[in-house]
Amino acid sequence: MPLKLHPDTSNKSEKSDLLKGLNSKQLEAVTSTEGPLLIIAGAGSGKTRVLTYRIAYMIQQGALPGQILALTFTNKAAKEMKQRIAKLVSPEAAAAIYAGTFHSIYARLLRQNADKIGYTSDFSIYDTDDSQSTIKSILKDLNITKDQVTPQAVQSRISYAKNRMIGWQEFASKASSPVDRIAARVYQEFDKKLVQCNAMDFDDLLLNMINLLKSSGEMLDYYQNRFQYILVDEYQDTNRSQYLSLNYFSAQHKNICVVGDDAQSIYRWRGAEIRNILDFQKDYPNAHLVRLEQNYRSTKTILSAADAVIRMNKGQIPKKLWTENDEGNKITLKQLNDDRDEAEYVSKIISQKISLGQNYSNVAVLYRTNAQSLLFENSFRAKNIPYIIIGGISFYKRKEIKDTVSYMKLLINPNDDESCIRALNEPPRGIGKTTIEKVREFANQHSIPLFQAFSRADEIQELQPRFKLSASKFSNLILKYSQIIKDENSDIFIRQYLEETGLVQFYSEMDTDDAQERVRNISQLISDLTRYYANTDNPTLSDYVQQISLITDIDEKDTSQNRVTLMTLHSAKGLEFPNVFICGLEAGLFPLSRTETNIEEEEEERRLFYVGITRAEKDLYLTYAASRMRFGEINRQMKSKFLNNIPSTLFSSSSSTILPQQQFSPPINSFTGNMVPKRDNSNIPQFDDLHVGKPNFEYSQIQDEEELKPGDKVRHNLFGEGKVISLAGSRTNIQAIVNFQGLGKKKLMLQYAKLEKIK
DNA sequence: GACCTGCTGATTTTT
DNA sequence: TCAGCAGGTC
């Protein structure tokens, strides 16, 4: 169907403005709006710009924003794309576009039609931890011990199968090893359990989308008409189920545009199939192909290094990435004695750059494994280098946050057994393992959710009266508030509910730093919920919980501030920085040792190195250490074989001489265990960036403007109104004792507690 | 049922 | 190195 001109946006000058500044290939990609289009976009070739402009152009040409489906790799990328479209076209248009990750968009669509596939719209989304603990309980029910198979092994096999659209029946029929046979058995139970719990894991969001499309002709018809234009970013990293769902969506109109680069495929281990991009032209025989090969990001030197590396891979499509940029600085290769020296070296270079007028935010430090971040953190903190870590333990994976979210989930989806278990004994209610086992048995016998079994505790003969009492207290609390929320959907009641769970009070009363931090985190989550209710049309708790279930590490970080970014090479995909350090280039670490025996895995590692190199705009530093502490032991190692792929002419003269491996100097410290500074989070600017949307952590504003004094009336987000009893501590670390109405006295750190002074 | 202690395995990468 | 867990004790 050709595009019709939109009457009010067909302004000629706007249109030409939009296309101005694009090179001929980019222009071709932007304006080829009809039919299947494959864009092979080399690193730094302006891919994001092309996608954004293409959408804006389509809208200008008459496409309805609500008919556009744009799938990106992170929610952040989608958000940025929408922001740019808001400027290029209009905020209304941007808001109407369906843009997000596969998982978040599909979750949204599934919510609207959950009943068609046997769920309710309030289904829970299980993250990896939830799934694993479900698997553990299944293993227990099946009397399978850890000696036979680990829950992790089972989980990864199930996920592997799901990613490739292999159901349990097929998996069972092909299972040849004992572990596979167990996994097949668990897989079957797991599927059943998830449906019972009204829950989906990450893989199910994709699979169920396909099930939904297959569920009826009308459904398929509806969505094929609904999404007239489909755009997919990072197509090389899509898996089988993503691929199939796209085929369903686009089968009629075939207006599908995929963008990718086979050289940057780094998620094979997660089920991504490069063949999706390689076979696109087979799938759509009349597909138009555009190659974006001009790089606007990096210097010639960096590009040469990247090219030299990727050329070592056999299974790559030949590409000629080129740039008009300068030759630029040589690459620095540095050998250090050990991992601590490596961190010191990186800090030193960063400090030098800062003194020459660079910004911290122009620097990224990339590594293979999250565990490597610790030494950089220590060193940066000692040198007052502000930094942000992406990845590692996410805010939403913290115990107290998961517990709080479990209470929310349970309120909207009482079938959710995982949340029930989590919430049940946090804070401790005196219901122990034996009791839970008895209730679980009862639930299994009657095929009812765990929560329902707790509500019927009276009927369970073997339970002692005191357990029956605490069980009914627990279920009454949930039932009471789920009714209240149904009657009046307001965040006020959710806050009240969370307070009544006693979770915050439990931590508040524990006088440890750790507990105080947990209180702060919970209160931050609650502020976020409040903000969500204030800023969203038709907010619901269910929607909020689903949103935060799908937040990715990179989404939740505010990278706009002036600080160094620390992250894994995987997380760096799609980003760019003037200065990039790639650290830990050692045999066994990068490439990881387990990949060395498998050519395909090693090629994937090499692509990962390629991705890392091509993040750099101007200066690239490659470092490796002769010895490194791993698993609490000091290991000596050789430099990475990947370094041999880069011609030595590209390295600066100040680079370390590339020593033959045998000549490595021995590590200076034979044992550094005690010398590594303890992790100390006290002065890192971290609380403001662990967040959905805009964090706005408004701490310490009050005491800066007007000092609190005993007798003042204050309001706390969670505890409500109260009166300041006393203040103690140093200026930067004031502790207040506040008497809250109905709650009694609480000790609060002013620096973190959000106290609002009221008249 | 709560708490303590000593053992074990984890470090790939993430929606 | 250290978090998480099983197993023992009160």
Side-chain angles (χ1 to χ4, degrees):
Chain A
M1 196 210 311
L3 287 169
K4 295 178 295 281
L5 276 183
H6 213 274
D8 49 7
T9 51
S10 59
N11 180 315
K12 236 186 171 165
S13 73
E14 264 185 49
K15 182 182 152 190
S16 51
D17 275 349
L18 195 58
L19 302 180
K20 215 161 62 185
L22 298 174
N23 70 31
S24 65
K25 290 289 169 192
Q26 291 175 331
L27 187 70
E28 191 183 337
V30 167
T31 54
S32 307
T33 57
E34 304 299 307
L37 172 67
L38 168 63
I39 305 175
I40 300 285
S45 61
K47 169 191 78 164
T48 312
R49 187 156 183 234
V50 164
L51 275 178
T52 320
Y53 278 51
R54 190 169 187 276
I55 295 174
Y57 180 77
M58 290 191 306
I59 298 172
Q60 284 191 354
Q61 295 294 300
L64 295 173
Q67 294 182 330
I68 299 172
L69 172 65
L71 298 160
T72 56
F73 203 69
T74 62
N75 287 303
K76 195 179 183 189
K79 204 170 133 197
E80 283 168 4
M81 191 184 269
K82 281 185 154 195
Q83 282 167 352
R84 286 170 74 171
I85 290 166
K87 282 189 190 138
L88 288 169
V89 187
S90 73
E92 295 75 30
I97 296 168
Y98 267 75
T101 60
F102 277 91
H103 291 86
S104 61
I105 296 281
Y106 287 8
R108 190 165 145 198
L109 301 180
L110 285 168
R111 259 171 80 77
Q112 295 163 3
N113 301 285
D115 53 320
K116 312 260 188 337
I117 49 162
Y119 281 85
T120 82
S121 65
D122 293 324
F123 64 83
S124 296
I125 296 171
Y126 277 8
D127 67 13
T128 332
D129 291 344
D130 300 328
S131 302
Q132 194 172 112
S133 103
T134 307
I135 287 170
K136 271 184 198 163
S137 71
I138 293 171
L139 285 169
K140 201 170 170 194
D141 287 346
L142 296 173
N143 285 322
I144 296 164
T145 63
K146 251 171 74 180
D147 303 329
Q148 291 167 273
V149 59
T150 63
Q152 294 90 318
V154 175
Q155 184 177 31
S156 82
R157 277 172 170 75
I158 295 176
S159 181
Y160 179 94
K162 283 191 175 185
N163 276 318
R164 285 161 187 75
M165 309 258 328
I166 300 169
W168 66 263
Q169 298 91 335
E170 189 187 344
F171 189 85
S173 71
K174 286 184 181 155
S176 50
S177 71
V179 176
D180 278 352
R181 275 192 288 273
I182 294 173
R185 181 83 188 85
V186 177
Y187 187 178
Q188 180 183 2
E189 290 301 316
F190 184 56
D191 263 7
K192 208 163 93 192
K193 192 82 193 166
L194 284 169
V195 174
Q196 261 177 22
C197 293
N198 194 23
M200 300 187 196
D201 67 6
F202 289 139
D203 305 323
D204 287 340
L205 291 172
L206 309 175
L207 293 175
N208 283 328
M209 188 67 230
I210 295 172
N211 291 337
L212 176 65
L213 293 173
K214 286 201 296 198
S215 68
S216 74
E218 294 103 89
M219 192 48 66
L220 187 60
D221 237 30
Y222 174 78
Y223 280 113
Q224 287 180 339
N225 278 307
R226 169 89 213 226
F227 299 125
Q228 286 288 322
Y229 295 94
I230 299 172
L231 298 93
V232 190
D233 195 7
E234 311 281 9
Y235 192 62
Q236 76 280 356
D237 282 326
T238 50
N239 65 25
R240 195 72 200 155
S241 47
Q242 289 168 328
Y243 166 87
L244 274 182
S245 62
L246 289 171
N247 280 356
Y248 274 110
F249 279 128
S250 67
Q252 256 186 48
H253 52 70
K254 296 200 162 46
N255 291 325
I256 178 167
C257 161
V258 301
V259 189
D261 177 6
D262 62 306
Q264 294 184 64
S265 160
I266 53 175
Y267 284 97
R268 208 183 71 105
W269 53 273
R270 201 170 88 183
E273 298 187 355
I274 304 192
R275 71 168 160 153
N276 291 349
I277 195 164
L278 302 180
D279 289 352
F280 188 79
Q281 286 173 298
K282 270 188 217 150
D283 297 328
Y284 299 92
N286 60 337
H288 188 56
L289 169 72
V290 178
R291 287 172 186 274
L292 302 178
E293 292 177 314
Q294 180 174 2
N295 173 296
Y296 293 92
R297 180 185 295 156
S298 312
T299 62
K300 286 200 173 72
T301 304
I302 290 168
L303 228 48
S304 304
D307 183 57
V309 168
I310 202 68
R311 234 182 311 154
M312 301 304 291
N313 274 9
K314 296 215 168 58
Q316 289 313 140
I317 304 177
K319 238 176 274 108
K320 322 175 276 289
L321 205 54
W322 59 280
T323 185
E324 285 176 354
N325 291 346
D326 292 342
E327 208 63 47
N329 296 332
K330 296 274 185 193
I331 295 165
T332 306
L333 175 67
K334 189 76 183 170
Q335 180 205 324
L336 286 312
N337 270 321
D338 61 21
D339 44 357
R340 298 179 68 202
D341 283 356
E342 183 184 50
E344 289 301 309
Y345 170 76
V346 172
S347 317
K348 193 182 85 190
I349 301 286
I350 293 174
S351 298
Q352 278 171 12
K353 293 200 169 271
I354 299 308
S355 64
L356 292 170
Q358 291 256 11
N359 285 326
Y360 290 112
S361 54
N362 285 349
V363 183
V365 179
L366 311 180
Y367 36 76
R368 181 62 181 84
T369 65
N370 277 311
Q372 286 165 259
S373 71
L374 184 60
L375 289 173
F376 293 107
E377 286 182 71
N378 289 333
S379 177
F380 287 1
R381 213 173 301 139
K383 293 197 167 51
N384 287 322
I385 296 173
Y387 63 89
I388 178 174
I389 296 185
I390 293 183
I393 298 161
S394 149
F395 180 74
Y396 295 97
K397 288 207 176 109
R398 286 165 193 262
K399 178 176 161 28
E400 66 276 16
I401 297 302
K402 288 211 68 161
D403 290 343
T404 312
V405 174
S406 289
Y407 275 108
M408 296 186 194
K409 283 185 175 171
L410 201 50
L411 205 56
I412 47 184
N413 177 15
N415 290 6
D416 184 339
D417 286 1
E418 273 316 306
S419 296
C420 183
I421 292 268
R422 281 200 85 94
L424 192 62
N425 248 342
E426 213 56 56
R429 290 193 171 77
I431 303 172
K433 272 181 238 156
T434 349
T435 314
I436 292 176
E437 270 319 299
K438 281 177 191 155
V439 180
R440 225 157 70 87
E441 236 164 72
F442 181 83
N444 283 345
Q445 275 165 16
H446 294 79
S447 301
I448 54 170
L450 207 51
F451 176 70
Q452 237 182 73
F454 272 101
S455 318
R456 289 165 59 181
D458 276 350
E459 300 171 36
I460 309 172
Q461 306 294 325
E462 308 90 66
L463 286 190
Q464 291 178 32
R466 63 184 167 121
F467 297 138
K468 287 184 181 172
L469 186 68
S470 40
S472 78
K473 262 192 185 165
F474 172 73
S475 64
N476 285 341
L477 171 75
I478 314 282
L479 290 172
K480 178 174 115 191
Y481 276 98
S482 58
Q483 194 53 52
I484 292 179
I485 303 291
K486 254 181 218 138
D487 294 343
E488 193 168 351
N489 176 28
S490 157
D491 57 310
I492 294 172
F493 296 112
I494 302 168
R495 292 208 301 267
Q496 199 177 316
Y497 160 68
L498 292 174
E499 193 181 311
E500 260 186 60
T501 63
L503 195 59
V504 175
Q505 197 177 353
F506 171 67
Y507 286 123
S508 303
E509 282 164 3
M510 280 161 61
D511 206 15
T512 62
D513 288 352
D514 190 52
Q516 291 305 315
E517 192 184 331
R518 288 177 197 267
V519 173
R520 287 198 296 272
N521 288 336
I522 296 175
S523 112
Q524 204 180 329
L525 179 73
I526 293 169
S527 316
D528 189 65
L529 173 82
T530 309
R531 212 172 299 126
Y532 162 82
Y533 264 82
N535 302 334
T536 314
D537 299 332
N538 310 318
T540 64
L541 182 60
S542 175
D543 180 54
Y544 176 75
V545 169
Q546 288 205 351
Q547 259 188 45
I548 62 173
S549 304
L550 293 170
I551 285 176
T552 67
D553 285 328
I554 200 136
D555 294 335
E556 61 180 270
K557 304 286 175 165
D558 172 11
T559 45
S560 64
Q561 293 185 40
N562 187 19
R563 11 178 210 194
V564 174
T565 306
L566 288 165
M567 63 189 149
T568 62
L569 287 142
H570 280 90
S571 299
K573 187 164 87 153
L575 306 177
E576 57 186 15
F577 299 86
N579 305 283
V580 169
F581 292 83
I582 302 179
C583 303
L585 278 156
E586 295 135 30
L589 183 60
F590 191 27
L592 276 173
S593 49
R594 57 148 53 186
T595 65
E596 277 167 10
T597 47
N598 179 322
I599 289 190
E600 284 192 318
E601 286 190 27
E602 192 181 303
E603 292 211 337
E604 175 143 315
E605 295 277 304
R606 195 178 276 109
R607 289 194 293 271
L608 189 57
F609 188 36
Y610 175 80
V611 167
I613 294 172
T614 52
R615 298 310 95 198
E617 293 170 8
K618 292 199 161 65
D619 287 333
L620 177 64
Y621 296 82
L622 306 175
T623 67
Y624 59 102
S627 75
R628 175 178 301 272
M629 175 108 76
R630 284 185 94 191
F631 298 106
E633 272 177 4
I634 292 182
N635 290 299
R636 302 247 267 129
Q637 62 245 317
M638 304 186 281
K639 74 181 162 81
S640 168
K641 62 160 95 164
F642 289 166
L643 290 173
N644 298 330
N645 300 158
I646 302 175
S648 55
T649 49
L650 296 176
F651 291 123
S652 73
S653 53
S654 66
S655 291
S656 302
T657 325
I658 306 172
L659 295 172
Q661 274 103 26
Q662 304 89 303
Q663 290 178 32
F664 263 157
S665 50
I668 292 173
N669 306 310
S670 58
F671 183 71
T672 53
N674 295 331
M675 298 167 72
V676 179
K678 265 265 164 233
R679 205 184 246 272
D680 165 20
N681 289 327
S682 55
N683 56 0
I684 325 168
Q686 57 181 344
F687 299 113
D688 51 344
D689 49 53
L690 299 160
H691 238 255
V692 214
K694 273 288 117 231
N696 286 332
F697 195 52
E698 311 105 343
Y699 63 89
S700 76
Q701 279 172 5
I702 298 171
Q703 55 266 44
D704 287 343
E705 283 149 31
E706 50 176 322
E707 299 267 11
L708 277 182
K709 46 188 192 307
D712 283 346
K713 274 193 170 176
V714 289
R715 184 181 291 120
H716 183 274
N717 230 346
L718 192 59
F719 304 138
E721 288 184 16
K723 198 171 169 187
V724 178
I725 306 292
S726 66
L727 294 157
S730 65
R731 208 188 125 67
T732 50
N733 188 18
I734 306 171
Q735 290 173 2
I737 296 185
V738 181
N739 193 7
F740 288 100
Q741 291 165 12
L743 282 169
K745 289 177 196 169
K746 292 207 179 291
K747 200 200 269 178
L748 300 164
M749 308 278 286
L750 279 197
Q751 196 186 351
Y752 301 111
K754 280 178 243 177
L755 285 184
E756 183 192 344
K757 193 169 169 179
I758 50 177
K759 296 277 140 63

